[in-house]
Amino acid sequence: MRPNPLMLCLPCLLAACTQVQTTRITDLVDQPLKTTELPGWEWTKAPLRANARYAMYRAHTASQRKERLGDYYYLDWYDAEPQQPVKIVMRYTQALTGMTVQTRTIDIPAPRQKAGTRSAHFFFSGPERAKGGDIMTWRIDLYSGGVLKDHRQSYLWE
C-alpha cells in the first residue's frame, strides 16, 4: 500500500508551525543620501528613490535639502518578549572624529501589547553630519531584559 503524501509532510508542517521565535534583528538597511538629486526612474533604483523622497519630504529650499543629506539606518526586529524592556544601541565612528566611538540609544519600555515585528531607525544628517562627517563603522546591539539578543555590524567594525 502506498503512503499518503500528506501524511509524509505532516511532521514538517508541525515543526514549522511550532518554531520558537526569539528576539532578534530581522533586517537592517543602510541608505546613504549623498545628493539632493533624486535617483533615476529605473526599477533597480526604486528603494533609493523612495528613501530620498522620504528624507526630502517638506524640504523646500536648497539649504533645507542639503541639511537632509546623510546616513539613514532602518532596523526591523522581532520582539518575542514584550514583557521585557528593550534597548537598541548603535555605536559608530565618523570620518571627521577619528576612532572616537560614539553611541546612540533607543529605549523601548515594557510592557508592550504583544509579540511581533517592530521597527527603529537612526538618522545622521544636518549639523551633526557636518561636524562629524559620514559614518565609517557601526555596530547595532539589541538587548531584551538587559541581555544581548542579537547584533549587526559593518565589516570594518572591530
Side-chain angles (χ1 to χ4, degrees):
M1 179 169 176
R2 202 168 140 202
N4 184 344
L6 184 58
M7 296 306 285
L8 293 174
C9 294
L10 189 59
C12 297
L13 291 172
L14 288 175
C17 292
T18 60
Q19 182 179 6
V20 176
Q21 293 287 343
T22 59
T23 298
R24 70 190 189 302
I25 297 171
T26 56
D27 195 22
L28 177 66
V29 178
D30 170 14
Q31 288 284 340
L33 185 60
K34 304 298 181 193
T35 178
T36 59
E37 299 296 320
L38 289 177
W41 284 97
E42 303 88 44
W43 70 271
T44 57
K45 304 226 186 217
L48 299 173
R49 187 173 182 80
N51 181 60
R53 290 178 57 95
Y54 175 74
M56 295 294 171
Y57 182 70
R58 292 196 176 176
H60 301 295
T61 66
S63 65
Q64 287 174 330
R65 287 190 295 273
K66 189 174 179 181
E67 279 193 7
R68 306 276 177 97
L69 298 179
D71 295 301
Y72 294 77
Y73 295 86
Y74 301 96
L75 175 74
D76 289 335
W77 55 284
Y78 185 78
D79 184 8
E81 304 165 308
Q83 70 281 3
Q84 296 289 333
V86 170
K87 181 183 283 192
I88 302 170
V89 180
M90 181 173 188
R91 292 179 287 156
Y92 59 94
T93 60
Q94 289 181 278
L96 301 177
T97 61
M99 295 305 295
T100 304
V101 176
Q102 300 176 60
T103 304
R104 281 205 185 169
T105 303
I106 298 173
D107 288 310
I108 303 164
R112 292 171 296 285
Q113 290 200 357
K114 62 180 182 174
T117 300
R118 310 230 190 281
S119 297
H121 59 270
F122 295 95
F123 297 160
F124 300 89
S125 59
E128 178 188 21
R129 182 176 176 269
K131 181 181 171 191
D134 290 334
I135 301 297
M136 302 304 290
T137 63
W138 53 266
R139 177 183 164 115
I140 297 177
D141 295 326
L142 175 64
Y143 295 90
S144 179
V147 177
L148 178 64
K149 296 293 185 170
D150 200 2
H151 78 276
R152 298 280 171 93
Q153 66 188 38
S154 64
Y155 69 94
L156 293 174
W157 184 265
E158 288 193 23

